[in-house]
Amino acid sequence: MDQYVWETILAVALGFVAVYGILARNANARRKSFGKGGAEDREPRATAATTPIDGIFRSKNNDASDDADVIIVGAGVAGAALAHTLGKDGRRVYVIERDLSEPDRIVGELLQPGGYLKLIELGLEDCVEGIDAQRVFGYALFKDGKRTRVAYPLEKFDSDVSGRSFHNGRFIQRMREKAASLPNVRLEQGTVTSLLEEKGVIRGVQYKTKSGEELIKYAPLTVVCDGCFSNLRRSLCDPKVDVPSCFVGLVLENCQLPFADHGHVVLADPSPILFYPISSTEVRCLVDVPGQKVPSISNGEMAKYLKTTVAPQVPHELHDAFIAAIDKGNIRTMPNRSMPAAPHPTPGALLLGDAFNMRHPLTGGGMTVALSDIVVLRDLLRPLGDLNDPPTLCKYLESFYTLRKPVSATINTLAGALYKVFCSSSDQARKEMRQACFDYLSLGGVFSNGPVSLLSGLNPRPLSLVCHFFAVAIYGVGRLLLPFPSPKRMWIGARLISSASGIIFPIIKAEGVRQMFFPVTVPAYYRAPPAK
């Protein structure tokens, strides 16, 4: 507890200390001036209801002899990683995936260092090998012609630890191959149409095979991780999906990033632009477009928007490659979804991955949360030899929702808060907050290490997040009041603090204050494994 107290004092103090840097910076600047003179990656799946077992025709094909301990719906990052993890622990795992061919997506391409550490913990680190994955060591920020670099604080870790960026489909295929290599893990292509329910307990799934045959499969535990367009989560959670913006994706070829081995974030108008390498010859560009509608690609409106509104704000080193990518025409769009975890604990079933919890992909934290959740779930299931008592297992696994919170809530809150700060606004207080964030990170040292360690998943502490967020706000107020405060500046400073509170507190409320900051006070935190 003492460590958190000191961390709080330090982070808040940093906001005040950083203000003094303004005076020296302004003085240096004066001396220098005197010297000079709509569409989506994948269509949403059809809705499906929970189906009572009594209403199912049991054909000869529904052979119960091929028993499974766990059914996993979906073989994306979460599903494939979980299948390998549980299979390695000796569980009989049956995975049903809608399409086992290599996915082609424009998100899920950046794995933060914290996520890579979880990958190591799960024994899946070799899945980033052989796919031309690129190492990432930090971020470069661009705003109004200025640029700064912030590095991941990796000094205390092995030399292999860093972020990784890659083609999402290649990474998923490597994990599927690794899972399928285990003799007790089976992957089948098919579409799960419903969960099988009997007296309030999920007993398995009903699914349609690739050939169109309707089958059912039973298991004591069904884990649903069928992605952001999940058609099964409605009976397992309270899905409150928000779509604050869309990403427009391009691939830039044969160009050099201004800062090699770094992600690039342009604080553009109206919202951020991202660049990061996905292979040795390709750079992914994601242009954020606020709202749920994007300019039409088919009639040329999108190309016009990218060339006239976005291109002038792109770093000059990437401008020609950006225009060439637009002219090539391979423009993709993807809605950016966020959804707090609001589970309905259900005997026999569990949600995981984007089907369970989503955040804005600006910070690239989705895979880190999913892999961290799998580590928590693995550790909870390891002491259990038998999963055949669903009600007791469900009661025990309620601790999963509490134990995952410090990591998931930190990354979720940071993603939502940073997106709102990084978007342009006509409100002067929001403008000052945006500028304060850029200048605060530009100070380097402890001022950038704290926020970047949160973003990277290396130090996912909710209290540290709140402290650094308000340290930035205090720094912004200091910029306004120095060297000479005025009533107008004081009023803007007060509104800046109010705006910062209005950004972060609703996100924290949605995540759950008690579970996020005081998980040890939740009874489920101490839940012991069921007696054998």
Side-chain angles (χ1 to χ4, degrees):
M1 196 67 180
D2 291 341
Q3 182 180 1
Y4 287 101
V5 173
W6 281 111
E7 188 176 64
T8 304
I9 295 171
L10 174 62
V12 175
L14 289 177
F16 290 103
V17 172
V19 171
Y20 290 100
I22 300 172
L23 295 174
R25 178 176 292 183
N26 289 343
N28 288 334
R30 284 194 294 271
R31 283 196 294 269
K32 289 180 181 178
S33 64
F34 289 146
K36 293 178 182 178
E40 299 178 348
D41 246 9
R42 189 188 294 177
E43 290 296 322
R45 304 172 190 175
T47 59
T50 303
T51 304
I53 287 182
D54 293 341
I56 296 176
F57 174 69
R58 299 173 185 263
S59 72
K60 293 180 181 179
N61 291 323
N62 299 329
D63 185 6
S65 62
D66 184 18
D67 291 334
D69 297 312
V70 180
I71 294 172
I72 298 176
V73 182
V77 172
L82 180 65
H84 176 267
T85 300
L86 297 183
K88 196 169 62 171
D89 282 353
R91 307 282 183 192
R92 295 166 298 175
V93 182
Y94 198 87
V95 184
I96 304 172
E97 162 58 35
R98 188 177 65 88
D99 185 358
L100 285 173
S101 61
E102 183 175 309
D104 182 16
R105 303 183 66 204
I106 64 171
V107 292
E109 298 173 320
L110 178 62
L111 180 65
Q112 296 288 358
Y116 182 71
L117 289 174
K118 296 299 179 184
L119 209 63
I120 294 173
E121 197 171 343
L122 295 170
L124 291 166
E125 67 273 19
D126 57 344
C127 290
V128 297
E129 298 173 2
I131 60 173
D132 200 15
Q134 304 298 298
R135 300 187 71 183
V136 179
F137 295 99
Y139 282 89
L141 301 178
F142 298 77
K143 185 180 186 296
D144 299 332
K146 298 179 181 179
R147 55 182 67 185
T148 188
R149 185 177 68 89
V150 290
Y152 293 137
L154 300 172
E155 298 81 6
K156 297 180 181 179
F157 299 93
D158 293 339
S159 59
D160 184 53
V161 176
S162 66
R164 294 292 196 282
S165 54
F166 38 68
H167 282 272
N168 172 268
R170 296 176 186 175
F171 179 57
I172 287 176
Q173 289 300 88
R174 288 283 288 118
M175 288 204 294
R176 288 174 178 174
E177 292 167 6
K178 184 133 185 177
S181 68
L182 298 175
N184 51 327
V185 176
R186 179 180 172 187
L187 273 70
E188 180 175 354
Q189 183 163 309
T191 302
V192 175
T193 55
S194 64
L195 303 175
L196 304 181
E197 181 264 337
E198 182 180 40
K199 298 179 180 179
V201 177
I202 302 300
R203 299 294 185 182
V205 299
Q206 181 175 10
Y207 69 102
K208 184 180 291 187
T209 66
K210 186 178 180 180
S211 61
E213 187 179 11
E214 291 274 0
L215 297 177
I216 62 175
K217 185 71 179 177
Y218 298 102
L221 179 62
T222 299
V223 182
V224 176
C225 38
D226 55 344
C228 60
F229 298 121
S230 174
N231 61 345
L232 302 173
R233 62 175 162 226
R234 291 183 204 174
S235 60
L236 303 176
C237 74
D238 182 19
K240 296 179 180 178
V241 180
D242 181 36
V243 184
S245 67
C246 296
F247 267 155
V248 178
L250 299 164
V251 175
L252 280 56
E253 298 178 332
N254 301 311
C255 61
Q256 296 296 320
L257 289 165
F259 296 86
D261 304 320
H262 283 68
H264 292 56
V265 183
V266 182
L267 274 61
D269 183 9
S271 52
I273 308 168
L274 308 181
F275 296 92
Y276 52 87
I278 54 174
S279 75
S280 54
T281 60
E282 297 167 301
V283 171
R284 169 67 72 195
C285 171
L286 295 174
V287 178
D288 186 85
V289 178
Q292 300 183 24
K293 294 183 179 180
V294 297
S296 172
I297 296 175
S298 59
N299 66 10
E301 288 181 5
M302 177 64 78
K304 181 180 179 182
Y305 172 80
L306 294 174
K307 287 183 177 180
T308 59
T309 303
V310 179
Q313 304 181 77
V314 169
H316 63 85
E317 297 94 333
L318 301 172
H319 183 271
D320 292 345
F322 182 76
I323 296 297
I326 298 171
D327 291 337
K328 191 174 180 179
N330 188 20
I331 303 172
R332 306 274 299 283
T333 64
M334 178 75 181
N336 294 325
R337 298 167 177 248
S338 62
M339 183 183 77
H344 299 155
T346 305
L350 195 72
L351 278 170
L352 204 66
D354 283 351
F356 176 43
N357 184 203
M358 293 180 281
R359 76 291 310 148
H360 196 284
L362 172 69
T363 57
M367 289 188 289
T368 300
V369 171
L371 295 171
S372 176
D373 284 353
I374 291 170
V375 171
V376 173
L377 183 59
R378 177 201 65 183
D379 293 344
L380 287 171
L381 292 178
R382 266 185 174 170
L384 308 181
D386 185 7
L387 305 179
N388 285 298
D389 186 355
T392 303
L393 178 63
C394 177
K395 194 75 174 175
Y396 169 60
L397 288 182
E398 285 181 11
S399 59
F400 167 74
Y401 303 116
T402 301
L403 293 172
R404 70 180 293 273
K405 269 296 177 180
V407 173
S408 64
T410 300
I411 293 174
N412 295 345
T413 304
L414 181 63
L418 265 188
Y419 177 70
K420 291 183 178 180
V421 170
F422 280 0
C423 286
S424 64
S425 173
S426 58
D427 181 76
Q428 188 61 36
R430 290 285 293 273
K431 286 182 180 179
E432 292 293 338
M433 185 69 180
R434 192 187 197 206
Q435 186 64 50
C437 187
F438 180 84
D439 290 345
Y440 185 88
L441 293 172
S442 299
L443 294 174
V446 292
F447 302 102
S448 63
N449 283 348
V452 173
S453 66
L454 292 164
L455 182 147
S456 62
L458 295 172
N459 179 35
R461 295 180 180 174
L463 184 60
S464 180
L465 166 63
V466 174
C467 291
H468 279 290
F469 189 79
F470 280 101
V472 172
I474 293 169
Y475 175 75
V477 173
R479 292 176 65 258
L480 286 167
L481 300 184
L482 293 175
F484 302 110
S486 66
K488 181 181 178 180
R489 286 173 172 265
M490 292 174 68
W491 171 243
I492 295 175
R495 289 180 53 234
L496 191 157
I497 296 293
S498 175
S499 177
S501 301
I503 288 173
I504 197 168
F505 287 145
I507 303 174
I508 290 174
K509 182 181 178 182
E511 289 292 331
V513 176
R514 186 181 179 190
Q515 287 185 318
M516 186 172 175
F517 292 98
F518 312 106
V520 295
T521 68
V522 180
Y525 186 86
Y526 302 99
R527 197 145 289 163
K532 296 182 181 180

